[in-house]
Amino acid sequence: MTSRSKAGPSPSSTRATAIVGDRLVDADNHYYEPRDAFTRHMPRALLPLAVHVEGEGDDEKIFVGAERFVFLRNQYDAVVRPGALREMLRSMKASGERGDASEVDEPMQPAYVDPVARLEAMDRQGVEAALLFPTLGVCVEQAMAGDPVQIHANFDAFNRWLDDDWGYAHAGRIFAAPIIPLADRDRACSELDRVLERGARVIALRPGPAYGRSPADPWFDPFWARINEAGVLVGLHIGESGYNEMFSTCWGESPNPPSHRQSAFQWSCSYGDRPIMDTIASLVLHNLFGRFPNVRLASVENGSLWVPYLLAQLDKMKGMGRNGPWPGGYVSGRPSEILGRHLFVSPYHEEDIPALARLIGPSQVLFGSDWPHPEGLAEPADFIEGLAGLSDGDVRLIMRDNTSSLLGLGPGAPR
């Protein structure tokens, strides 16, 4: 099933309904891409550079250009069902036996690939609106070896597929994020102009350095000026940022392991926390917000364990670096306070969300279910289980109003 079970609403869903009504706004939903997501709109002459599928049945494999892609498995016909990892971990805790989430595959469901079916699922879940991010799309840029032609051709084609199948603001409820790489500044600006004209309200940038530059380097000011003027939200969603290849190899680790075959060292130091921390640090210390005060960032599916450390570290190190260069201009004010105005964080559901809300304010925390991915929640409303102790007003901010406001919907916007 793709929505509430036949047993009826969960206690979490009941509390969410009592506080928020059927108007949850989810900052982290996903789709699964079809086989032609990168090829449908790829110019014929550039098809050899495309992300594509070769083989059939059990022999089907994903390629990026001529190179085999191994970071994610084939997820076209069958996927691990929503919430399976959470259920597996709870079962392991109760039984002490090791489990395998891959044992709970299900056929691809219409709601995972079709906006009409997704709206029906959202209605059953009590979700008014959702930000929509890729599955495969956030993981392939690193495999293109820094080739600007290949990178922009693939993502220009991908964003056109996304507009075809989902739209950028479907029914005023599903807000899909086109991906804008920064390998070529002028092409990034051109594609940003196009998706804004098509109604995009959120874009996705890959966390990590921008091909030898900080993403806040003044070189990219024409790009950020457009973001600043349009008021579009910038989503920094977890993905393959290339840190295994760039850094973990210096510690004797494999450069390109599959996602769920990364070592504990790589999970700790190369994936997730490290790319988002570096990215947020560069944006604030290279003075992006001093130059572009309307830019708003949403950290999505990067968790929140890094937030207390980073805020304290940035405030301290701004003072340590006072006599050094300021590539984007001097940063006025405490970095933690600047980020308190510009950064929104969607934590993992199992983290200490009330502590995060106390640290950065409930106005900066976003509910994200990661539906329908296996590591997320089977029922989006169950996110509220982690908000015990927060006031009803704070719960409304986190479960609805913050993301609603970022999308320009307004608190409790009517359907």
Side-chain angles (χ1 to χ4, degrees), residues 52-89:
H52 66 282
V53 175
E54 295 183 10
E56 296 181 357
D58 292 342
D59 293 327
E60 195 172 53
K61 297 176 176 61
I62 302 172
F63 284 79
V64 178
E67 299 298 319
R68 172 85 184 278
F69 177 77
V70 299
F71 191 73
L72 295 181
R73 71 171 195 164
N74 176 329
Q75 299 180 99
Y76 295 119
D77 299 317
V79 295
V80 182
R81 61 179 171 79
L85 179 61
R86 186 187 193 211
E87 293 175 10
M88 182 195 76
L89 293 174

PDB file of all heavy atoms in Angstrom, residues 52-89:
ATOM      1  N   HIS A  52      21.887   6.511 -19.110  1.00  0.00           N
ATOM      2  CA  HIS A  52      20.991   5.632 -19.867  1.00  0.00           C
ATOM      3  C   HIS A  52      21.083   4.206 -19.331  1.00  0.00           C
ATOM      4  O   HIS A  52      21.935   3.894 -18.494  1.00  0.00           O
ATOM      5  CB  HIS A  52      21.337   5.653 -21.351  1.00  0.00           C
ATOM      6  CG  HIS A  52      22.680   5.071 -21.668  1.00  0.00           C
ATOM      7  ND1 HIS A  52      23.870   5.751 -21.468  1.00  0.00           N
ATOM      8  CD2 HIS A  52      23.035   3.844 -22.156  1.00  0.00           C
ATOM      9  CE1 HIS A  52      24.882   4.992 -21.820  1.00  0.00           C
ATOM     10  NE2 HIS A  52      24.406   3.824 -22.240  1.00  0.00           N
ATOM     11  N   VAL A  53      20.210   3.368 -19.839  1.00  0.00           N
ATOM     12  CA  VAL A  53      20.129   1.976 -19.406  1.00  0.00           C
ATOM     13  C   VAL A  53      20.542   1.070 -20.554  1.00  0.00           C
ATOM     14  O   VAL A  53      20.183   1.300 -21.712  1.00  0.00           O
ATOM     15  CB  VAL A  53      18.685   1.643 -18.955  1.00  0.00           C
ATOM     16  CG1 VAL A  53      18.556   0.165 -18.629  1.00  0.00           C
ATOM     17  CG2 VAL A  53      18.311   2.492 -17.748  1.00  0.00           C
ATOM     18  N   GLU A  54      21.318   0.039 -20.223  1.00  0.00           N
ATOM     19  CA  GLU A  54      21.688  -0.986 -21.195  1.00  0.00           C
ATOM     20  C   GLU A  54      21.305  -2.347 -20.632  1.00  0.00           C
ATOM     21  O   GLU A  54      21.327  -2.567 -19.421  1.00  0.00           O
ATOM     22  CB  GLU A  54      23.189  -0.945 -21.496  1.00  0.00           C
ATOM     23  CG  GLU A  54      23.636   0.341 -22.172  1.00  0.00           C
ATOM     24  CD  GLU A  54      25.119   0.338 -22.532  1.00  0.00           C
ATOM     25  OE1 GLU A  54      25.758  -0.747 -22.433  1.00  0.00           O
ATOM     26  OE2 GLU A  54      25.645   1.407 -22.876  1.00  0.00           O
ATOM     27  N   GLY A  55      20.978  -3.267 -21.530  1.00  0.00           N
ATOM     28  CA  GLY A  55      20.596  -4.610 -21.121  1.00  0.00           C
ATOM     29  C   GLY A  55      19.111  -4.699 -20.833  1.00  0.00           C
ATOM     30  O   GLY A  55      18.368  -3.712 -20.894  1.00  0.00           O
ATOM     31  N   GLU A  56      18.672  -5.903 -20.495  1.00  0.00           N
ATOM     32  CA  GLU A  56      17.268  -6.150 -20.196  1.00  0.00           C
ATOM     33  C   GLU A  56      17.142  -7.062 -18.981  1.00  0.00           C
ATOM     34  O   GLU A  56      18.049  -7.842 -18.670  1.00  0.00           O
ATOM     35  CB  GLU A  56      16.570  -6.800 -21.396  1.00  0.00           C
ATOM     36  CG  GLU A  56      16.522  -5.921 -22.642  1.00  0.00           C
ATOM     37  CD  GLU A  56      15.802  -6.596 -23.791  1.00  0.00           C
ATOM     38  OE1 GLU A  56      15.389  -7.769 -23.640  1.00  0.00           O
ATOM     39  OE2 GLU A  56      15.653  -5.959 -24.854  1.00  0.00           O
ATOM     40  N   GLY A  57      15.990  -6.949 -18.314  1.00  0.00           N
ATOM     41  CA  GLY A  57      15.715  -7.840 -17.186  1.00  0.00           C
ATOM     42  C   GLY A  57      16.780  -7.754 -16.108  1.00  0.00           C
ATOM     43  O   GLY A  57      17.204  -6.666 -15.709  1.00  0.00           O
ATOM     44  N   ASP A  58      17.241  -8.919 -15.658  1.00  0.00           N
ATOM     45  CA  ASP A  58      18.235  -8.963 -14.590  1.00  0.00           C
ATOM     46  C   ASP A  58      19.589  -8.424 -15.037  1.00  0.00           C
ATOM     47  O   ASP A  58      20.449  -8.138 -14.185  1.00  0.00           O
ATOM     48  CB  ASP A  58      18.410 -10.405 -14.084  1.00  0.00           C
ATOM     49  CG  ASP A  58      17.166 -10.912 -13.367  1.00  0.00           C
ATOM     50  OD1 ASP A  58      16.338 -10.083 -12.965  1.00  0.00           O
ATOM     51  OD2 ASP A  58      17.029 -12.150 -13.233  1.00  0.00           O
ATOM     52  N   ASP A  59      19.812  -8.297 -16.342  1.00  0.00           N
ATOM     53  CA  ASP A  59      21.080  -7.785 -16.860  1.00  0.00           C
ATOM     54  C   ASP A  59      21.059  -6.274 -17.087  1.00  0.00           C
ATOM     55  O   ASP A  59      22.032  -5.709 -17.588  1.00  0.00           O
ATOM     56  CB  ASP A  59      21.429  -8.488 -18.175  1.00  0.00           C
ATOM     57  CG  ASP A  59      21.732  -9.964 -17.974  1.00  0.00           C
ATOM     58  OD1 ASP A  59      22.265 -10.311 -16.905  1.00  0.00           O
ATOM     59  OD2 ASP A  59      21.415 -10.762 -18.881  1.00  0.00           O
ATOM     60  N   GLU A  60      19.956  -5.621 -16.750  1.00  0.00           N
ATOM     61  CA  GLU A  60      19.838  -4.180 -16.976  1.00  0.00           C
ATOM     62  C   GLU A  60      20.782  -3.412 -16.061  1.00  0.00           C
ATOM     63  O   GLU A  60      20.825  -3.646 -14.853  1.00  0.00           O
ATOM     64  CB  GLU A  60      18.395  -3.757 -16.718  1.00  0.00           C
ATOM     65  CG  GLU A  60      18.056  -2.398 -17.260  1.00  0.00           C
ATOM     66  CD  GLU A  60      16.566  -2.121 -17.156  1.00  0.00           C
ATOM     67  OE1 GLU A  60      16.013  -2.267 -16.040  1.00  0.00           O
ATOM     68  OE2 GLU A  60      15.949  -1.769 -18.170  1.00  0.00           O
ATOM     69  N   LYS A  61      21.534  -2.487 -16.652  1.00  0.00           N
ATOM     70  CA  LYS A  61      22.506  -1.700 -15.896  1.00  0.00           C
ATOM     71  C   LYS A  61      22.417  -0.241 -16.311  1.00  0.00           C
ATOM     72  O   LYS A  61      22.072   0.075 -17.453  1.00  0.00           O
ATOM     73  CB  LYS A  61      23.929  -2.229 -16.115  1.00  0.00           C
ATOM     74  CG  LYS A  61      24.132  -3.661 -15.619  1.00  0.00           C
ATOM     75  CD  LYS A  61      25.525  -4.163 -15.937  1.00  0.00           C
ATOM     76  CE  LYS A  61      25.756  -5.562 -15.363  1.00  0.00           C
ATOM     77  NZ  LYS A  61      24.803  -6.548 -15.933  1.00  0.00           N
ATOM     78  N   ILE A  62      22.764   0.636 -15.390  1.00  0.00           N
ATOM     79  CA  ILE A  62      22.766   2.078 -15.638  1.00  0.00           C
ATOM     80  C   ILE A  62      24.178   2.510 -16.020  1.00  0.00           C
ATOM     81  O   ILE A  62      25.158   2.098 -15.384  1.00  0.00           O
ATOM     82  CB  ILE A  62      22.296   2.849 -14.397  1.00  0.00           C
ATOM     83  CG1 ILE A  62      20.888   2.403 -13.988  1.00  0.00           C
ATOM     84  CG2 ILE A  62      22.307   4.356 -14.657  1.00  0.00           C
ATOM     85  CD1 ILE A  62      20.430   2.973 -12.656  1.00  0.00           C
ATOM     86  N   PHE A  63      24.254   3.350 -17.043  1.00  0.00           N
ATOM     87  CA  PHE A  63      25.531   3.918 -17.480  1.00  0.00           C
ATOM     88  C   PHE A  63      25.427   5.439 -17.488  1.00  0.00           C
ATOM     89  O   PHE A  63      24.366   6.009 -17.761  1.00  0.00           O
ATOM     90  CB  PHE A  63      25.892   3.431 -18.879  1.00  0.00           C
ATOM     91  CG  PHE A  63      26.404   2.019 -18.919  1.00  0.00           C
ATOM     92  CD1 PHE A  63      25.523   0.950 -18.860  1.00  0.00           C
ATOM     93  CD2 PHE A  63      27.764   1.756 -19.001  1.00  0.00           C
ATOM     94  CE1 PHE A  63      25.983  -0.354 -18.890  1.00  0.00           C
ATOM     95  CE2 PHE A  63      28.237   0.458 -19.029  1.00  0.00           C
ATOM     96  CZ  PHE A  63      27.340  -0.610 -18.974  1.00  0.00           C
ATOM     97  N   VAL A  64      26.543   6.085 -17.189  1.00  0.00           N
ATOM     98  CA  VAL A  64      26.683   7.529 -17.359  1.00  0.00           C
ATOM     99  C   VAL A  64      27.667   7.716 -18.493  1.00  0.00           C
ATOM    100  O   VAL A  64      28.876   7.522 -18.320  1.00  0.00           O
ATOM    101  CB  VAL A  64      27.169   8.212 -16.074  1.00  0.00           C
ATOM    102  CG1 VAL A  64      27.338   9.709 -16.310  1.00  0.00           C
ATOM    103  CG2 VAL A  64      26.207   7.955 -14.925  1.00  0.00           C
ATOM    104  N   GLY A  65      27.138   8.047 -19.677  1.00  0.00           N
ATOM    105  CA  GLY A  65      27.978   7.989 -20.849  1.00  0.00           C
ATOM    106  C   GLY A  65      28.426   6.555 -21.058  1.00  0.00           C
ATOM    107  O   GLY A  65      27.615   5.632 -21.091  1.00  0.00           O
ATOM    108  N   ALA A  66      29.733   6.360 -21.153  1.00  0.00           N
ATOM    109  CA  ALA A  66      30.276   5.016 -21.363  1.00  0.00           C
ATOM    110  C   ALA A  66      30.624   4.300 -20.072  1.00  0.00           C
ATOM    111  O   ALA A  66      31.034   3.134 -20.104  1.00  0.00           O
ATOM    112  CB  ALA A  66      31.518   5.109 -22.250  1.00  0.00           C
ATOM    113  N   GLU A  67      30.459   4.974 -18.931  1.00  0.00           N
ATOM    114  CA  GLU A  67      30.900   4.419 -17.651  1.00  0.00           C
ATOM    115  C   GLU A  67      29.737   3.798 -16.882  1.00  0.00           C
ATOM    116  O   GLU A  67      28.669   4.394 -16.749  1.00  0.00           O
ATOM    117  CB  GLU A  67      31.558   5.511 -16.801  1.00  0.00           C
ATOM    118  CG  GLU A  67      32.791   6.136 -17.423  1.00  0.00           C
ATOM    119  CD  GLU A  67      33.905   5.132 -17.647  1.00  0.00           C
ATOM    120  OE1 GLU A  67      34.114   4.274 -16.748  1.00  0.00           O
ATOM    121  OE2 GLU A  67      34.549   5.208 -18.698  1.00  0.00           O
ATOM    122  N   ARG A  68      29.957   2.617 -16.340  1.00  0.00           N
ATOM    123  CA  ARG A  68      28.952   1.956 -15.517  1.00  0.00           C
ATOM    124  C   ARG A  68      28.721   2.755 -14.237  1.00  0.00           C
ATOM    125  O   ARG A  68      29.668   3.200 -13.572  1.00  0.00           O
ATOM    126  CB  ARG A  68      29.440   0.543 -15.190  1.00  0.00           C
ATOM    127  CG  ARG A  68      28.570  -0.193 -14.188  1.00  0.00           C
ATOM    128  CD  ARG A  68      27.393  -0.882 -14.821  1.00  0.00           C
ATOM    129  NE  ARG A  68      26.557  -1.496 -13.783  1.00  0.00           N
ATOM    130  CZ  ARG A  68      26.806  -2.674 -13.211  1.00  0.00           C
ATOM    131  NH1 ARG A  68      27.866  -3.383 -13.609  1.00  0.00           N
ATOM    132  NH2 ARG A  68      25.996  -3.154 -12.295  1.00  0.00           N
ATOM    133  N   PHE A  69      27.464   2.936 -13.880  1.00  0.00           N
ATOM    134  CA  PHE A  69      27.084   3.648 -12.667  1.00  0.00           C
ATOM    135  C   PHE A  69      26.738   2.633 -11.587  1.00  0.00           C
ATOM    136  O   PHE A  69      25.883   1.762 -11.791  1.00  0.00           O
ATOM    137  CB  PHE A  69      25.879   4.550 -12.941  1.00  0.00           C
ATOM    138  CG  PHE A  69      25.353   5.272 -11.734  1.00  0.00           C
ATOM    139  CD1 PHE A  69      26.009   6.388 -11.234  1.00  0.00           C
ATOM    140  CD2 PHE A  69      24.193   4.844 -11.100  1.00  0.00           C
ATOM    141  CE1 PHE A  69      25.523   7.051 -10.107  1.00  0.00           C
ATOM    142  CE2 PHE A  69      23.696   5.505  -9.985  1.00  0.00           C
ATOM    143  CZ  PHE A  69      24.368   6.612  -9.492  1.00  0.00           C
ATOM    144  N   VAL A  70      27.373   2.739 -10.418  1.00  0.00           N
ATOM    145  CA  VAL A  70      27.187   1.722  -9.382  1.00  0.00           C
ATOM    146  C   VAL A  70      26.704   2.283  -8.056  1.00  0.00           C
ATOM    147  O   VAL A  70      26.444   1.521  -7.131  1.00  0.00           O
ATOM    148  CB  VAL A  70      28.505   0.929  -9.143  1.00  0.00           C
ATOM    149  CG1 VAL A  70      28.943   0.215 -10.414  1.00  0.00           C
ATOM    150  CG2 VAL A  70      29.614   1.855  -8.630  1.00  0.00           C
ATOM    151  N   PHE A  71      26.589   3.597  -7.936  1.00  0.00           N
ATOM    152  CA  PHE A  71      26.268   4.176  -6.635  1.00  0.00           C
ATOM    153  C   PHE A  71      24.885   3.742  -6.152  1.00  0.00           C
ATOM    154  O   PHE A  71      24.683   3.495  -4.965  1.00  0.00           O
ATOM    155  CB  PHE A  71      26.352   5.705  -6.697  1.00  0.00           C
ATOM    156  CG  PHE A  71      26.287   6.366  -5.346  1.00  0.00           C
ATOM    157  CD1 PHE A  71      27.365   6.298  -4.482  1.00  0.00           C
ATOM    158  CD2 PHE A  71      25.145   7.048  -4.937  1.00  0.00           C
ATOM    159  CE1 PHE A  71      27.313   6.895  -3.219  1.00  0.00           C
ATOM    160  CE2 PHE A  71      25.080   7.644  -3.690  1.00  0.00           C
ATOM    161  CZ  PHE A  71      26.161   7.573  -2.836  1.00  0.00           C
ATOM    162  N   LEU A  72      23.908   3.680  -7.057  1.00  0.00           N
ATOM    163  CA  LEU A  72      22.577   3.183  -6.723  1.00  0.00           C
ATOM    164  C   LEU A  72      22.248   1.979  -7.580  1.00  0.00           C
ATOM    165  O   LEU A  72      22.714   1.862  -8.716  1.00  0.00           O
ATOM    166  CB  LEU A  72      21.512   4.267  -6.959  1.00  0.00           C
ATOM    167  CG  LEU A  72      21.555   5.517  -6.089  1.00  0.00           C
ATOM    168  CD1 LEU A  72      20.411   6.447  -6.475  1.00  0.00           C
ATOM    169  CD2 LEU A  72      21.494   5.183  -4.609  1.00  0.00           C
ATOM    170  N   ARG A  73      21.394   1.116  -7.061  1.00  0.00           N
ATOM    171  CA  ARG A  73      20.949  -0.031  -7.833  1.00  0.00           C
ATOM    172  C   ARG A  73      19.844   0.390  -8.806  1.00  0.00           C
ATOM    173  O   ARG A  73      19.249   1.474  -8.687  1.00  0.00           O
ATOM    174  CB  ARG A  73      20.441  -1.128  -6.906  1.00  0.00           C
ATOM    175  CG  ARG A  73      19.117  -0.802  -6.230  1.00  0.00           C
ATOM    176  CD  ARG A  73      18.535  -2.000  -5.502  1.00  0.00           C
ATOM    177  NE  ARG A  73      17.134  -1.798  -5.176  1.00  0.00           N
ATOM    178  CZ  ARG A  73      16.307  -2.761  -4.830  1.00  0.00           C
ATOM    179  NH1 ARG A  73      16.733  -4.010  -4.762  1.00  0.00           N
ATOM    180  NH2 ARG A  73      15.049  -2.508  -4.551  1.00  0.00           N
ATOM    181  N   ASN A  74      19.546  -0.477  -9.754  1.00  0.00           N
ATOM    182  CA  ASN A  74      18.425  -0.299 -10.665  1.00  0.00           C
ATOM    183  C   ASN A  74      17.130  -0.222  -9.851  1.00  0.00           C
ATOM    184  O   ASN A  74      16.827  -1.102  -9.058  1.00  0.00           O
ATOM    185  CB  ASN A  74      18.400  -1.504 -11.624  1.00  0.00           C
ATOM    186  CG  ASN A  74      17.223  -1.483 -12.564  1.00  0.00           C
ATOM    187  OD1 ASN A  74      16.152  -0.986 -12.256  1.00  0.00           O
ATOM    188  ND2 ASN A  74      17.428  -2.049 -13.740  1.00  0.00           N
ATOM    189  N   GLN A  75      16.353   0.854 -10.035  1.00  0.00           N
ATOM    190  CA  GLN A  75      15.100   1.038  -9.296  1.00  0.00           C
ATOM    191  C   GLN A  75      13.981   1.456 -10.253  1.00  0.00           C
ATOM    192  O   GLN A  75      13.306   2.468 -10.028  1.00  0.00           O
ATOM    193  CB  GLN A  75      15.271   2.072  -8.186  1.00  0.00           C
ATOM    194  CG  GLN A  75      16.315   1.662  -7.143  1.00  0.00           C
ATOM    195  CD  GLN A  75      16.488   2.690  -6.055  1.00  0.00           C
ATOM    196  OE1 GLN A  75      15.952   2.589  -4.963  1.00  0.00           O
ATOM    197  NE2 GLN A  75      17.258   3.717  -6.374  1.00  0.00           N
ATOM    198  N   TYR A  76      13.777   0.665 -11.305  1.00  0.00           N
ATOM    199  CA  TYR A  76      12.775   1.005 -12.307  1.00  0.00           C
ATOM    200  C   TYR A  76      11.475   0.215 -12.141  1.00  0.00           C
ATOM    201  O   TYR A  76      10.398   0.762 -12.344  1.00  0.00           O
ATOM    202  CB  TYR A  76      13.332   0.775 -13.710  1.00  0.00           C
ATOM    203  CG  TYR A  76      14.481   1.699 -14.047  1.00  0.00           C
ATOM    204  CD1 TYR A  76      15.745   1.194 -14.338  1.00  0.00           C
ATOM    205  CD2 TYR A  76      14.315   3.071 -14.058  1.00  0.00           C
ATOM    206  CE1 TYR A  76      16.808   2.036 -14.647  1.00  0.00           C
ATOM    207  CE2 TYR A  76      15.365   3.928 -14.344  1.00  0.00           C
ATOM    208  CZ  TYR A  76      16.608   3.395 -14.641  1.00  0.00           C
ATOM    209  OH  TYR A  76      17.648   4.245 -14.929  1.00  0.00           O
ATOM    210  N   ASP A  77      11.571  -1.036 -11.805  1.00  0.00           N
ATOM    211  CA  ASP A  77      10.375  -1.881 -11.740  1.00  0.00           C
ATOM    212  C   ASP A  77      10.003  -2.299 -10.325  1.00  0.00           C
ATOM    213  O   ASP A  77       8.837  -2.559 -10.035  1.00  0.00           O
ATOM    214  CB  ASP A  77      10.577  -3.139 -12.591  1.00  0.00           C
ATOM    215  CG  ASP A  77      10.810  -2.807 -14.047  1.00  0.00           C
ATOM    216  OD1 ASP A  77      10.101  -1.923 -14.568  1.00  0.00           O
ATOM    217  OD2 ASP A  77      11.711  -3.415 -14.664  1.00  0.00           O
ATOM    218  N   ALA A  78      10.992  -2.398  -9.440  1.00  0.00           N
ATOM    219  CA  ALA A  78      10.748  -2.795  -8.057  1.00  0.00           C
ATOM    220  C   ALA A  78      11.618  -1.943  -7.143  1.00  0.00           C
ATOM    221  O   ALA A  78      12.755  -1.599  -7.489  1.00  0.00           O
ATOM    222  CB  ALA A  78      11.058  -4.272  -7.849  1.00  0.00           C
ATOM    223  N   VAL A  79      11.072  -1.587  -5.985  1.00  0.00           N
ATOM    224  CA  VAL A  79      11.779  -0.751  -5.020  1.00  0.00           C
ATOM    225  C   VAL A  79      11.526  -1.302  -3.623  1.00  0.00           C
ATOM    226  O   VAL A  79      10.594  -2.073  -3.398  1.00  0.00           O
ATOM    227  CB  VAL A  79      11.318   0.723  -5.088  1.00  0.00           C
ATOM    228  CG1 VAL A  79      11.688   1.340  -6.430  1.00  0.00           C
ATOM    229  CG2 VAL A  79       9.819   0.853  -4.836  1.00  0.00           C
ATOM    230  N   VAL A  80      12.360  -0.885  -2.678  1.00  0.00           N
ATOM    231  CA  VAL A  80      12.107  -1.219  -1.277  1.00  0.00           C
ATOM    232  C   VAL A  80      11.007  -0.287  -0.777  1.00  0.00           C
ATOM    233  O   VAL A  80      11.042   0.917  -1.010  1.00  0.00           O
ATOM    234  CB  VAL A  80      13.381  -1.065  -0.437  1.00  0.00           C
ATOM    235  CG1 VAL A  80      13.113  -1.453   1.008  1.00  0.00           C
ATOM    236  CG2 VAL A  80      14.504  -1.911  -1.019  1.00  0.00           C
ATOM    237  N   ARG A  81      10.020  -0.846  -0.115  1.00  0.00           N
ATOM    238  CA  ARG A  81       8.827  -0.069   0.216  1.00  0.00           C
ATOM    239  C   ARG A  81       9.109   1.006   1.266  1.00  0.00           C
ATOM    240  O   ARG A  81      10.073   0.910   2.042  1.00  0.00           O
ATOM    241  CB  ARG A  81       7.714  -0.997   0.682  1.00  0.00           C
ATOM    242  CG  ARG A  81       7.999  -1.821   1.908  1.00  0.00           C
ATOM    243  CD  ARG A  81       6.778  -2.685   2.247  1.00  0.00           C
ATOM    244  NE  ARG A  81       7.061  -3.655   3.293  1.00  0.00           N
ATOM    245  CZ  ARG A  81       7.107  -3.369   4.583  1.00  0.00           C
ATOM    246  NH1 ARG A  81       6.909  -2.135   4.990  1.00  0.00           N
ATOM    247  NH2 ARG A  81       7.353  -4.314   5.473  1.00  0.00           N
ATOM    248  N   PRO A  82       8.275   2.034   1.298  1.00  0.00           N
ATOM    249  CA  PRO A  82       8.482   3.148   2.228  1.00  0.00           C
ATOM    250  C   PRO A  82       8.550   2.678   3.684  1.00  0.00           C
ATOM    251  O   PRO A  82       7.756   1.843   4.123  1.00  0.00           O
ATOM    252  CB  PRO A  82       7.249   4.027   2.009  1.00  0.00           C
ATOM    253  CG  PRO A  82       6.756   3.693   0.645  1.00  0.00           C
ATOM    254  CD  PRO A  82       7.092   2.252   0.444  1.00  0.00           C
ATOM    255  N   GLY A  83       9.521   3.224   4.411  1.00  0.00           N
ATOM    256  CA  GLY A  83       9.639   2.934   5.834  1.00  0.00           C
ATOM    257  C   GLY A  83      10.250   1.599   6.176  1.00  0.00           C
ATOM    258  O   GLY A  83      10.362   1.253   7.352  1.00  0.00           O
ATOM    259  N   ALA A  84      10.693   0.825   5.169  1.00  0.00           N
ATOM    260  CA  ALA A  84      11.182  -0.529   5.434  1.00  0.00           C
ATOM    261  C   ALA A  84      12.421  -0.533   6.322  1.00  0.00           C
ATOM    262  O   ALA A  84      12.576  -1.415   7.172  1.00  0.00           O
ATOM    263  CB  ALA A  84      11.474  -1.248   4.117  1.00  0.00           C
ATOM    264  N   LEU A  85      13.307   0.435   6.138  1.00  0.00           N
ATOM    265  CA  LEU A  85      14.525   0.464   6.959  1.00  0.00           C
ATOM    266  C   LEU A  85      14.177   0.750   8.412  1.00  0.00           C
ATOM    267  O   LEU A  85      14.723   0.121   9.328  1.00  0.00           O
ATOM    268  CB  LEU A  85      15.492   1.514   6.425  1.00  0.00           C
ATOM    269  CG  LEU A  85      16.796   1.662   7.205  1.00  0.00           C
ATOM    270  CD1 LEU A  85      17.596   0.362   7.196  1.00  0.00           C
ATOM    271  CD2 LEU A  85      17.647   2.804   6.640  1.00  0.00           C
ATOM    272  N   ARG A  86      13.264   1.662   8.647  1.00  0.00           N
ATOM    273  CA  ARG A  86      12.847   1.974  10.008  1.00  0.00           C
ATOM    274  C   ARG A  86      12.241   0.738  10.680  1.00  0.00           C
ATOM    275  O   ARG A  86      12.555   0.422  11.830  1.00  0.00           O
ATOM    276  CB  ARG A  86      11.833   3.118   9.978  1.00  0.00           C
ATOM    277  CG  ARG A  86      11.419   3.637  11.345  1.00  0.00           C
ATOM    278  CD  ARG A  86      10.295   4.635  11.194  1.00  0.00           C
ATOM    279  NE  ARG A  86      10.057   5.393  12.410  1.00  0.00           N
ATOM    280  CZ  ARG A  86       8.878   5.855  12.776  1.00  0.00           C
ATOM    281  NH1 ARG A  86       7.815   5.640  12.025  1.00  0.00           N
ATOM    282  NH2 ARG A  86       8.738   6.551  13.886  1.00  0.00           N
ATOM    283  N   GLU A  87      11.404   0.041   9.934  1.00  0.00           N
ATOM    284  CA  GLU A  87      10.792  -1.174  10.479  1.00  0.00           C
ATOM    285  C   GLU A  87      11.848  -2.239  10.761  1.00  0.00           C
ATOM    286  O   GLU A  87      11.796  -2.926  11.784  1.00  0.00           O
ATOM    287  CB  GLU A  87       9.755  -1.704   9.499  1.00  0.00           C
ATOM    288  CG  GLU A  87       8.545  -0.799   9.338  1.00  0.00           C
ATOM    289  CD  GLU A  87       7.592  -1.306   8.271  1.00  0.00           C
ATOM    290  OE1 GLU A  87       7.781  -2.456   7.803  1.00  0.00           O
ATOM    291  OE2 GLU A  87       6.667  -0.567   7.891  1.00  0.00           O
ATOM    292  N   MET A  88      12.823  -2.365   9.857  1.00  0.00           N
ATOM    293  CA  MET A  88      13.865  -3.354  10.045  1.00  0.00           C
ATOM    294  C   MET A  88      14.692  -3.052  11.294  1.00  0.00           C
ATOM    295  O   MET A  88      14.997  -3.946  12.098  1.00  0.00           O
ATOM    296  CB  MET A  88      14.774  -3.396   8.819  1.00  0.00           C
ATOM    297  CG  MET A  88      15.888  -4.440   8.894  1.00  0.00           C
ATOM    298  SD  MET A  88      17.171  -4.168   7.651  1.00  0.00           S
ATOM    299  CE  MET A  88      18.050  -2.772   8.391  1.00  0.00           C
ATOM    300  N   LEU A  89      15.049  -1.772  11.490  1.00  0.00           N
ATOM    301  CA  LEU A  89      15.861  -1.406  12.650  1.00  0.00           C
ATOM    302  C   LEU A  89      15.101  -1.636  13.950  1.00  0.00           C
ATOM    303  O   LEU A  89      15.674  -2.083  14.954  1.00  0.00           O
ATOM    304  CB  LEU A  89      16.302   0.053  12.531  1.00  0.00           C
ATOM    305  CG  LEU A  89      17.280   0.352  11.390  1.00  0.00           C
ATOM    306  CD1 LEU A  89      17.530   1.855  11.284  1.00  0.00           C
ATOM    307  CD2 LEU A  89      18.586  -0.390  11.573  1.00  0.00           C
TER     308      LEU A  89
END
